[in-house]
Amino acid sequence: VQLVASEGTRIRERYGVELEIAGVLVRDPVRERPGVDRRLITTCALDVLDADCDVIVELIGGVHTAGSFVRRAIARGRDVVTANKALLSACGRELFTMAERAGVALRFEASVCGAVPVVRALRHGLAGDSIESIAGILNGTCNYVLTRMEDGLDFATALSLAQANGFAEAEASLDVDGEDAAQKLRILADLAFDAPVRRAWVTGIRGISAEAIADARAAGCVIRLVAEARRVAGGIEMSVAPRLVPRSDPFARVVDEQNAVLIRGRASGELLLSGRGAGSLPTAAAVLSDVLECGDRSRHFATDRAAVGLGAEV
Ligand SMILES: NC(=O)c1ccc[n+]([C@@H]2O[C@H](COP(=O)([O-])OP(=O)(O)OC[C@H]3O[C@@H](n4cnc5c(N)ncnc54)[C@H](OP(=O)(O)O)[C@@H]3O)[C@@H](O)[C@H]2O)c1
């Protein structure tokens, strides 16, 4: 809502698209929501899902209810934009097939790395190349916790601080046990590779102690939770695990809640994207760019076929 208000005029003038919010579905109708027209707020899902609109934006999170809303929107011929990596990771294959059959778009830039346009880079910018590997710091909460531990905080205090600052998912174990990063890695790997997953393992940062941080420092390194997918014989190998990263490595300079992705293409070589992977405005910027692309669907729809594999079991 904030971005539509602040960017609406520029978007109309530049892209010829008039953005209008038709309805806002929430759980709590009395909560203060600065800038939101109260008349648009509803707690009845059908008010929004069946509204006369072009795009449904799903930002409620979770798998079950969000999935039923997205299915209904697609069935009613609406384009859908989502930031929900858990949903795509669990049932992306089904949803993309459904969207393709219905001839609607299902966009998901904000689901991986917030404002960092890594989905677009893989779908469009690198469509002409074979991707050899993708490695990234994909979870801002873990990176924030590890950075604070370098400042001397213990794990529990650093995690509380991440939660107080709004970086952590409601269920923090998804972050700290590596599952959130694994879900994002699956989305990127499905976009980048057309090959089966041969091996996958996930380790989070819960076991990282103050001593481990001190030992890393003594060795001229820092610890980062690195998610990596790479080509191996016969398929893809995926891992999420804490790694010792030399201070000279670009990943060592990714601090606090920042995200970074290093893509290695056969022809293009290394490409490093980094930036704000979470937070309401960075995420909203990615969501809004997807909304705009929905208006331009005919041009890009063919490339969505590459995303149909999303949600394949690992
Ligand atoms: N926050 C980020 O930095 C970020 C970054 C990238 C992706 N994402 C993804 O974006 C999604 C939302 O995350 P968030 O951090 O914005 O979550 P959030 O702060 O909990 O907001 C969720 C919103 O959805 C509404 N909602 C939840 N369940 C609902 C239901 N059953 N019916 C109607 N409304 C419902 C809530 O309404 P009330 O306000 O009434 O509670 C709230 O407004 C998630 O999929 C998350 O993974 C978030």
Side-chain angles (χ1 to χ4, degrees):
V1 169
Q2 238 177 292
L3 270 196
V4 168
S6 64
E7 299 298 320
T9 305
R10 183 189 61 83
I11 286 170
R12 185 178 58 242
E13 287 168 0
R14 181 135 191 215
Y15 302 107
V17 175
E18 186 82 52
L19 294 169
E20 187 190 338
I21 295 173
V24 181
L25 173 67
V26 298
R27 269 178 309 209
D28 176 3
V30 293
R31 193 174 136 190
E32 274 303 312
R33 300 173 202 268
V36 182
D37 181 345
R38 280 208 161 268
R39 289 166 301 183
L40 295 178
I41 289 182
T42 177
T43 54
C44 171
L46 296 187
D47 286 350
V48 165
L49 294 171
D50 292 354
D52 181 18
C53 66
D54 301 304
V55 184
I56 299 284
V57 178
E58 183 281 304
L59 297 169
I60 71 172
V63 174
H64 186 70
T65 307
S68 67
F69 290 173
V70 167
R71 283 183 201 96
R72 184 168 180 107
I74 292 172
R76 292 190 57 83
R78 307 282 187 259
D79 290 337
V80 174
V81 173
T82 180
N84 192 337
K85 62 241 149 194
L87 177 65
L88 294 180
S89 181
C91 33
R93 181 183 290 267
E94 172 220 335
L95 295 176
F96 280 98
T97 303
M98 198 179 164
E100 193 183 19
R101 289 204 181 119
V104 302
L106 174 55
R107 304 246 175 264
F108 51 98
E109 182 64 67
S111 65
V112 186
C113 296
V116 182
V118 61
V119 170
R120 222 165 243 110
L122 288 169
R123 275 175 65 224
H124 301 305
L126 292 165
D129 198 5
S130 292
I131 305 302
E132 296 290 351
S133 67
I134 301 172
I137 294 176
L138 304 183
N139 184 275
T141 302
C142 288
N143 211 57
Y144 182 86
V145 167
L146 292 170
T147 310
R148 292 287 79 78
M149 287 178 78
E150 282 160 25
D151 298 340
L153 296 189
D154 62 30
F155 175 82
T157 312
L159 180 58
S160 305
L161 209 54
Q163 284 167 322
N165 281 306
F167 306 134
E169 290 284 324
E171 176 51 62
S173 60
L174 284 178
D175 290 315
V176 297
D177 293 332
E179 184 51 32
D180 177 87
Q183 287 172 350
K184 293 168 179 168
L185 184 66
R186 261 173 237 143
I187 292 174
L188 295 182
D190 276 323
L191 282 169
F193 307 109
D194 191 13
V197 177
R198 290 288 169 221
R199 230 156 68 87
W201 67 97
V202 179
T203 311
I205 62 164
R206 225 182 261 279
I208 302 293
S209 61
E211 291 72 35
I213 298 278
D215 289 348
R217 176 176 295 139
C221 295
V222 293
I223 297 177
R224 293 285 177 266
L225 186 72
V226 177
E228 183 174 30
R230 61 190 185 93
R231 278 187 201 279
V232 291
I236 304 300
E237 187 176 85
M238 305 211 303
S239 64
V240 176
R243 286 193 196 172
L244 271 181
V245 174
R247 286 211 165 271
S248 56
D249 189 287
F251 280 178
R253 291 192 287 276
V254 179
V255 296
D256 299 332
E257 74 277 21
Q258 297 280 311
N259 281 185
V261 185
L262 182 71
I263 303 170
R264 196 169 285 116
R266 197 172 288 166
S268 44
E270 288 188 348
L271 180 80
L272 180 68
L273 297 169
S274 66
R276 298 177 70 185
S280 56
L281 279 178
T283 307
V287 167
L288 198 49
S289 73
D290 274 350
V291 170
L292 290 177
E293 215 182 271
C294 285
D296 196 15
R297 187 166 93 229
S298 54
R299 195 151 59 88
H300 293 300
F301 191 62
T303 56
D304 284 347
R305 288 165 197 278
V308 165
L310 275 175
E313 277 302 309
V314 171

